[in-house]
């Protein structure tokens, strides 16, 4: 009868109401977690800025000392140049030999790049450990790229959680007017002005390609988690050995992460080959040319250069550690958000629904099925057809031993219907 189906509808809707409310509270939890994460993120950005500034100052100082030394270079120019002409071919050969033994591909390209690099370099770059500044600058670019990529992903994350939250608050205000007051205080907090490395077109791209919430967060999270994991591993590989020291090049048989790192470094930056200078007699002799017999101030300059490089390398390592902390923070946050979203995110899809005055769940028919031929005396199962939210009508089965007037009857129906809806 219509009265009993409206009573059943009301009982089922009551269960659904509770689930909707739980889900909205779950979304609030997501929002709170994201807000905390955004705050931590601001602090990390601030420290990154500071570290970068101090590193740049140290590199700048190293460059100035290098220039000053280069100005005094004439003193031993001739001796050095003669040695350099003999050092270059040996250095090229050692580097290509090392590369083709340790790395999988591209030794021809490395040889050509290196030759060009050596022709533009002066013996002074060996005498001054010039590869260390090159390494630092190259590392700088890589860190910039990593940060930009992380920042963009973080922005998507904030926007995604924000969208889900805004949609969920809409349901609250509309379907549960009596909840409005306490919930009203839970609007978007005023955002701090944020200095971001993100593209302005991000929101627009997201509208064209909505990640949230229709495909579920995992469509978005999975690649994010994979990328973050990969970046963590790369950062781990870096800085295993401080640059400019013997032992940077691993044993030839090594196929370790050190080996991979060196291959990458040489491909990106031919200056990495200068680290093989100890392999060549003439290159070693350049290091021993004593340019400051006539000028003791050179020895002091060289020490200052060394100190500045040490400092820059220390800040670079610190920057890497901070990036790594940011990445693992993101890894944790995204996996917790993903779990919460799988549990509660469905509620945001209700934002555009108008609720029927009888509630979210409508029971259309309730029928007794045919008795079970294997056990004719058992009460027959009941088939209930319902419509939940905006979904197609759904036929569900309730075991015969649960009668219609049992409070558990509609709870079971509502539970099954919601399960289907979430899937």
């Amino acid at each position: 009868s219509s009265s009993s189906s409206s009573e059943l509808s009301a009982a089922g809707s009551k269960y659904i109401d509770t689930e909707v409310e739980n889900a909205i509270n779950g979304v609030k939890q997501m929002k709170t977690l994201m807000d905390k994460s955004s705050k931590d993120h601001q602090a990390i950005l601030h420290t990154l800025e500071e570290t970068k500034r101090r590193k740049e100052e140290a590199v700048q100082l190293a460059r100035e000392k290098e220039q000053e030394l280069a100005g005094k270079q004439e003193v031993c120019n001739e001796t050095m140049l003669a040695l350099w002409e003999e050092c270059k071919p040996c250095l090229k050969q050692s580097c290509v030999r090392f590369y083709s033994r340790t790395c999988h591909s591209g030794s021809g390209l490395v040889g050509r790049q290196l030759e060009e690099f050596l022709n533009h370099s002066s013996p002074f770059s060996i005498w001054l450990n010039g590869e260390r500044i090159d390494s630092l600058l190259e590392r700088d670019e890589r860190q910039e790229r990593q940060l930009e990529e992380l920042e963009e992903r973080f922005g998507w994350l904030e926007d995604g959680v924000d969208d889900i939250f805004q949609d969920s608050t809409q349901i609250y205000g509309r379907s549960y007017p009596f909840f409005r007051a306490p919930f009203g205080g839970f609007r978007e907090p005023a955002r701090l002005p944020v200095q971001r490395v993100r593209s302005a077109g991000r929101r627009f791209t997201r509208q064209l390609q909505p990640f949230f919430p229709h495909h579920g967060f995992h469509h978005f999270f999975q690649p994010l988690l994979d990328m973050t994991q990969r970046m963590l591993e790369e950062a781990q590989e870096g800085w295993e050995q401080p640059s400019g020291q013997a032992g940077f090049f691993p044993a030839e048989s090594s196929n370790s992460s050190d080996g991979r790192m060196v291959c990458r470094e040489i491909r990106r930056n031919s200056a990495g080959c200068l680290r093989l200078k100890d392999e060549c007699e003439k290159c070693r002799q350049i290091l021993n040319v004593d340019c400051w017999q006539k000028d003791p101030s050179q020895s002091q300059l060289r020490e200052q250069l060394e100190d500045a490089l040490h400092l820059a390398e220390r800040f670079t390592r610190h920057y890497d550690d901070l990036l790594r902390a940011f990445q693992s923070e993101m890894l944790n946050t995204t996996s917790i958000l993903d779990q919460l979203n799988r549990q509660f995110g469905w509620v945001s899809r209700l934002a555009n629904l108008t609720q029927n005055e009888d509630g979210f769940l409508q029971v259309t028919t309730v029928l007794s099925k045919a008795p079970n031929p294997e056990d004719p005396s058992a009460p027959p199962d009941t088939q209930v057809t319902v419509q939940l939210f905006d979904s197609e009508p759904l036929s569900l089965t309730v075991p015969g031993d649960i009668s219609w007037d049992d409070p558990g009857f509609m709870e079971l129906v509502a539970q099954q219907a919601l399960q289907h809806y979430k899937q």
Side-chain angles (χ1 to χ4, degrees):
S1 76
S2 68
S3 77
S4 69
S5 69
S6 67
E7 278 162 26
L8 290 173
S9 297
S13 290
K14 197 170 163 196
Y15 173 82
I16 296 293
D17 279 353
T18 311
E19 288 302 295
V20 167
E21 202 183 326
N22 286 344
I24 290 172
N25 286 328
V27 171
K28 275 163 75 174
Q29 225 178 316
M30 287 173 76
K31 177 77 171 126
T32 308
L33 174 66
M34 192 70 240
D35 286 346
K36 181 192 177 307
S37 193
S38 300
K39 218 182 203 151
D40 296 347
H41 170 235
Q42 286 307 310
I44 286 184
L45 282 188
H46 179 72
T47 319
L48 280 170
E49 284 290 304
E50 189 55 24
T51 308
K52 185 181 159 110
R53 189 182 59 73
R54 297 183 68 181
K55 177 182 62 176
E56 281 167 355
E57 283 170 5
V59 169
Q60 185 53 37
L61 181 65
R63 292 197 126 153
E64 285 164 17
K65 298 298 166 192
E66 196 178 45
Q67 300 277 278
E68 284 181 56
L69 274 165
K72 299 172 179 279
Q73 178 188 0
E74 293 76 49
V75 190
C76 45
N77 220 353
E78 275 172 46
T79 327
M80 267 200 196
L81 282 174
L83 289 168
W84 178 236
E85 286 314 309
E86 294 182 70
C87 157
K88 278 196 291 192
C90 170
L91 197 55
K92 179 186 167 185
Q93 197 188 356
S94 304
C95 192
V96 171
R97 194 173 57 228
F98 164 81
Y99 187 91
S100 49
R101 273 199 298 243
T102 313
C103 314
H104 297 307
S105 59
S107 48
L109 175 69
V110 165
R112 285 194 298 281
Q113 268 179 345
L114 178 60
E115 196 158 326
E116 203 171 307
F117 171 78
L118 292 174
N119 288 338
H120 287 117
S121 299
S122 77
F124 213 58
S125 56
I126 278 205
W127 192 69
L128 284 174
N129 275 341
E131 76 273 14
R132 287 168 68 184
I133 287 194
D134 284 330
S135 264
L136 283 165
L137 297 177
E138 187 265 337
R139 185 117 195 129
D140 218 27
E141 279 171 35
R142 199 157 70 211
Q143 288 174 337
E144 270 303 296
R145 284 196 304 274
Q146 276 188 318
L147 182 61
E148 264 177 43
E149 178 97 13
L150 279 167
E151 274 294 274
E152 188 174 15
R153 301 294 176 131
F154 195 84
W156 286 348
L157 198 56
E158 283 184 317
D159 286 352
V161 172
D162 216 37
D163 287 357
I164 287 184
F165 175 72
Q166 297 301 349
D167 286 350
S168 305
T169 55
Q170 250 177 294
I171 304 158
Y172 229 108
R174 215 185 38 241
S175 317
Y176 303 97
F178 47 93
F179 284 128
R180 208 175 273 160
F183 211 83
F186 195 75
R187 279 276 169 230
E188 174 78 344
R191 280 263 173 93
L192 299 163
V194 170
Q195 195 189 353
R196 284 262 160 75
V197 202
R198 289 198 215 135
S199 58
R202 195 182 71 239
R203 273 246 177 227
F204 176 66
T205 339
R206 265 223 10 266
Q207 283 157 8
L208 298 181
Q209 190 194 2
F211 289 108
F212 310 103
H214 316 284
H215 306 302
F217 258 26
H218 48 275
H219 276 265
F220 162 73
F221 278 117
Q222 210 38 62
L224 175 60
L225 293 177
D226 296 344
M227 181 203 79
T228 306
Q229 197 52 56
R230 198 178 63 244
M231 285 164 79
L232 273 172
E233 283 160 12
E234 273 196 21
Q236 219 88 39
E237 284 174 20
W239 293 108
E240 302 288 89
Q241 292 277 354
S243 47
Q245 288 185 8
F248 173 84
F249 285 88
E252 286 146 23
S253 61
S254 145
N255 59 353
S256 64
S257 65
D258 288 354
R260 284 205 309 280
M261 183 186 124
V262 175
C263 296
R264 236 192 351 252
E265 169 127 359
I266 293 177
R267 272 197 303 273
R268 287 193 180 127
N269 175 13
S270 303
C273 285
L274 292 180
R275 298 170 189 228
L276 283 164
K277 53 184 177 260
D278 289 346
E279 304 274 305
C280 301
E281 170 65 25
K282 298 295 176 187
C283 301
R284 280 205 306 277
Q285 283 178 22
I286 292 178
L287 286 171
N288 299 326
V289 173
D290 187 355
C291 288
W292 46 73
Q293 278 168 326
K294 305 185 183 74
D295 184 358
S297 71
Q298 286 206 15
S299 145
Q300 193 190 352
L301 273 176
R302 204 166 170 174
E303 252 172 58
Q304 291 169 337
L305 170 67
E306 195 58 35
D307 290 346
L309 283 172
H310 270 309
L311 198 58
E313 283 166 355
R314 212 179 72 215
F315 284 126
T316 302
R317 277 197 287 273
H318 183 50
Y319 195 97
D320 264 346
D321 292 339
L322 288 168
L323 275 182
R324 209 173 310 169
F326 179 21
Q327 289 162 356
S328 30
E329 182 73 24
M330 263 181 91
L331 207 54
N332 289 339
T333 305
T334 42
S335 44
I336 298 170
L337 282 171
D338 195 27
Q339 284 168 355
L340 288 171
N341 184 58
R342 284 163 199 247
Q343 224 176 327
F344 306 120
W346 58 272
V347 73
S348 64
R349 285 176 47 197
L350 311 180
N352 306 325
L353 292 187
T354 45
Q355 187 187 358
N356 186 306
E357 60 273 15
D358 299 337
F360 281 129
L361 183 97
Q362 305 303 310
V363 174
T364 47
T365 58
V366 185
L367 303 167
S368 282
K369 289 182 144 186
N372 180 351
E374 286 167 29
D375 187 0
S377 62
D381 292 346
T382 312
Q383 186 178 323
V384 185
T385 306
V386 298
Q387 185 174 5
L388 176 61
F389 307 128
D390 55 344
S391 62
E392 295 297 302
L394 190 61
S395 290
L396 301 163
T397 302
V398 181
D401 52 9
I402 303 176
S403 69
W404 296 14
D405 48 14
D406 185 323
F409 182 88
M410 272 318 289
E411 191 165 314
L412 193 62
V413 170
Q415 224 170 6
Q416 287 184 52
L418 190 56
Q419 208 46 48
H420 272 274
Y421 183 82
K422 286 179 186 176
Q423 281 168 2

